[in-house]
Amino acid sequence: MKKIIVYILTAGKHPTMKRISNEIADAFEALDNNVVRIYIEKQEDRQLAYDLMKNGEIEFSVGLNNCVYGIYTSPGETMYKNLDTPYVSILLDAPYNLTVDNIGFDCKNHFLCLLDKSHLGIVKKLYPHKKFYGEMFLPLGGIAGGNEDEVFSRERPYDVVVSASSFSSGNPVRFWHEDEADKNFIRILDDVADYLLTEPVSVAEGFKYVLNERGLYDDKFMLAMIPYYFKVFRYIKTVRRAKSIELLVKNDIHVDIFGDGWDNVPIVRDNIGKCVRLHKGTSYQEALDLMARAKVVFQDQAEFNNGAHDRVFSAMLSGAVVVSEYSSYLDKEFSNGKDIFMYDWKNGISQVNVIKELINDESKRLSAAVSAYGKVNERHRWMNRAQSIVEAMAILRK
């Protein structure tokens, strides 16, 4: 029986990396796979991984983003350049988010797991000269906070929790207005941003809509605009997070916000001590534990409007009720108004009012939490994601 390598990151740009990479390894082991954990910061572990793969002992390897990029077997030659062993990248964000880094590096059999259905095919356009082994839609799995045996019996001192950072230094700006090179695209980029402020869709879908409205249907127009995705992504992610808090404030819903950068956001700063209690940022584990002490976890979708991120599933596994920005994927996976409650940017003011009911009606909240927990427990743990990867690799080996 061949082994599976899972790369463990103990440091990195993203605060989730250590916990998630270990959860992935645990999930493959729970499925009776022989897992080799490679601590990527250790030279001896990197050498072991290379030797095992070169000797044909590894079925496939798994890591977050492009964590194996920069591992060289000789000057200028990355470890995976000539190895047949597939490397499965589980992306933690959109492929056009610069924090994901270069996923077009030399890798003979590079397979991608993407968080949003609209991201499928984007990577091939980002890296047109790179041939990928394959790709699949695979949202991150959920991780329960607190003692899961007490998920429906523990005290929940927080009514509404938001656990996320803000990247704004005040009022966010449309960065493309500041660059002379962008001057011919300002109207297009403004139209995309305006569309994303009213419609719950991803950046990729926003660009497609705006270009199609101009009669530009050919893929080469989408391809030409990809370098601008991140600028719009950075802007809209910041604005949407502030708008989501504004929905709460306008409904006089009190919220505890845990995350850095919010003291610079006017709607938050002006309502501290009124509707808003602002706390410092937390570690990933602390964020999970907060969900286990919250009645409602309120969130934006971080532009994954045809997919999901792990906060949705982790909150549900922790017994909290999720009130989330709309996602067509979540709308299919759950029952909106029963085990998840979603809002959009046109009707959000009235839609988030359900939070008051969830806080004041214990039976309604508990019913929603129990229903959501059951669905996530069955379909959205890391074990489910590991099984999907195993199946995909088996198909590609045929």
Side-chain angles (χ1 to χ4, degrees):
M1 178 182 177
K2 287 190 175 182
K3 305 176 180 71
I4 296 172
I5 283 177
V6 177
Y7 291 100
I8 308 297
L9 292 93
T10 56
K13 297 178 182 179
H14 204 290
T16 66
M17 283 184 167
K18 181 178 179 181
R19 178 64 187 272
I20 287 181
S21 54
N22 274 295
E23 289 283 338
I24 293 167
D26 290 345
F28 281 112
E29 286 177 341
L31 294 172
D32 295 325
N33 295 288
N34 190 341
V35 174
V36 181
R37 299 182 192 228
I38 296 296
Y39 291 83
I40 204 163
E41 288 87 2
K42 296 182 179 180
Q43 170 60 34
E44 61 269 28
D45 275 25
R46 298 197 296 271
Q47 186 62 50
L48 172 63
Y50 180 67
D51 292 342
L52 289 172
M53 288 187 285
K54 191 174 181 181
N55 292 335
E57 297 180 49
I58 302 300
E59 196 74 60
F60 60 87
S61 56
V62 182
L64 300 176
N65 294 341
N66 66 340
C67 67
V68 298
Y69 173 60
I71 301 177
Y72 295 92
T73 54
S74 62
E77 186 167 299
T78 59
M79 181 166 70
Y80 279 86
K81 183 176 181 179
N82 297 309
L83 286 172
D84 290 327
T85 306
Y87 170 62
V88 179
S89 287
I90 298 176
L91 300 193
L92 296 177
D93 218 314
Y96 38 80
N97 187 333
L98 297 183
T99 61
V100 171
D101 291 329
N102 176 27
I103 52 178
F105 66 95
D106 282 334
C107 181
K108 189 174 181 181
N109 290 313
H110 193 175
F111 187 86
L112 300 169
C113 300
L114 305 167
L115 298 175
D116 193 273
K117 291 179 182 179
S118 72
H119 297 160
L120 294 168
I122 291 291
V123 176
K124 295 174 184 176
K125 295 174 183 176
L126 282 168
Y127 303 97
H129 304 298
K130 163 76 176 175
K131 183 178 180 181
F132 288 90
Y133 191 49
E135 62 182 9
M136 70 186 297
F137 168 58
L138 194 78
L140 304 180
I143 304 172
N147 182 349
E148 202 168 346
D149 293 335
E150 302 171 349
V151 64
F152 297 120
S153 61
R154 69 171 66 96
E155 292 293 319
R156 295 185 177 271
Y158 297 110
D159 285 343
V160 184
V161 162
V162 168
S163 180
S165 298
S166 173
F167 310 104
S168 173
S169 59
N171 291 314
V173 297
R174 298 191 172 192
F175 312 98
W176 49 93
H177 285 246
E178 302 173 350
D179 192 336
E180 179 67 19
D182 295 344
K183 66 180 181 180
N184 292 323
F185 303 107
I186 285 177
R187 289 183 60 190
I188 293 175
L189 300 177
D190 278 345
D191 285 353
V192 174
D194 290 342
Y195 183 70
L196 293 173
L197 287 175
T198 60
E199 301 297 329
V201 299
S202 71
V203 168
E205 291 170 310
F207 270 94
K208 183 177 181 178
Y209 175 83
V210 168
L211 289 174
N212 287 353
E213 284 291 291
R214 283 169 160 76
L216 306 175
Y217 293 95
D218 195 297
D219 273 352
K220 64 185 175 185
F221 294 109
M222 283 286 286
L223 179 62
M225 295 308 295
I226 282 176
Y228 298 93
Y229 278 27
F230 181 70
K231 289 185 177 182
V232 176
F233 175 87
R234 181 182 168 196
Y235 169 80
I236 202 65
K237 188 172 182 178
T238 300
V239 175
R240 279 180 171 179
R241 283 198 170 165
K243 282 187 69 177
S244 68
I245 300 301
E246 184 178 13
L247 296 178
L248 299 179
V249 169
K250 286 186 174 180
N251 278 283
D252 196 31
I253 296 171
H254 291 241
V255 58
D256 286 270
I257 301 176
F258 296 83
D260 297 322
W262 287 102
D263 50 344
N264 294 316
V265 179
I267 192 66
V268 171
R269 185 185 60 232
D270 296 345
N271 285 280
I272 293 175
K274 300 173 185 176
C275 292
V276 175
R277 286 184 291 269
L278 185 58
H279 308 262
K280 64 179 182 179
T282 63
S283 68
Y284 188 59
Q285 182 58 52
E286 288 170 335
L288 292 173
D289 292 339
L290 277 171
M291 293 176 182
R293 292 184 286 148
K295 293 173 182 165
V296 172
V297 170
F298 181 75
Q299 60 168 45
D300 64 285
Q301 265 303 108
E303 87 106 32
F304 307 134
N305 299 105
N306 204 4
H309 52 66
D310 55 316
R311 282 197 300 271
V312 177
F313 308 125
S314 295
M316 290 174 171
L317 284 175
S318 302
V321 177
V322 172
V323 178
S324 171
E325 178 190 347
Y326 180 80
S327 157
S328 61
Y329 170 70
L330 293 178
D331 203 14
K332 293 176 182 177
E333 291 294 301
F334 300 96
S335 177
N336 190 12
K338 179 182 177 183
D339 43 36
I340 192 172
F341 300 85
M342 290 189 280
Y343 63 91
D344 57 51
W345 302 114
K346 290 180 178 177
N347 307 294
I349 288 290
S350 60
Q351 290 165 331
V352 302
N353 243 330
V354 72
I355 293 175
K356 295 178 181 178
E357 296 178 46
L358 293 167
I359 293 170
N360 296 320
D361 187 339
E362 181 71 8
S363 62
K364 181 182 178 76
R365 181 186 65 78
L366 190 58
S367 174
V370 170
S371 179
Y373 178 90
K375 292 180 180 179
V376 176
N377 185 48
E378 182 180 356
R379 292 176 50 81
H380 298 292
R381 289 182 177 271
W382 272 112
M383 191 181 299
N384 304 109
R385 306 303 186 242
Q387 182 63 42
S388 294
I389 292 171
V390 168
E391 291 168 355
M393 292 297 102
I395 292 170
L396 290 176
R397 286 197 304 273
K398 294 291 285 185

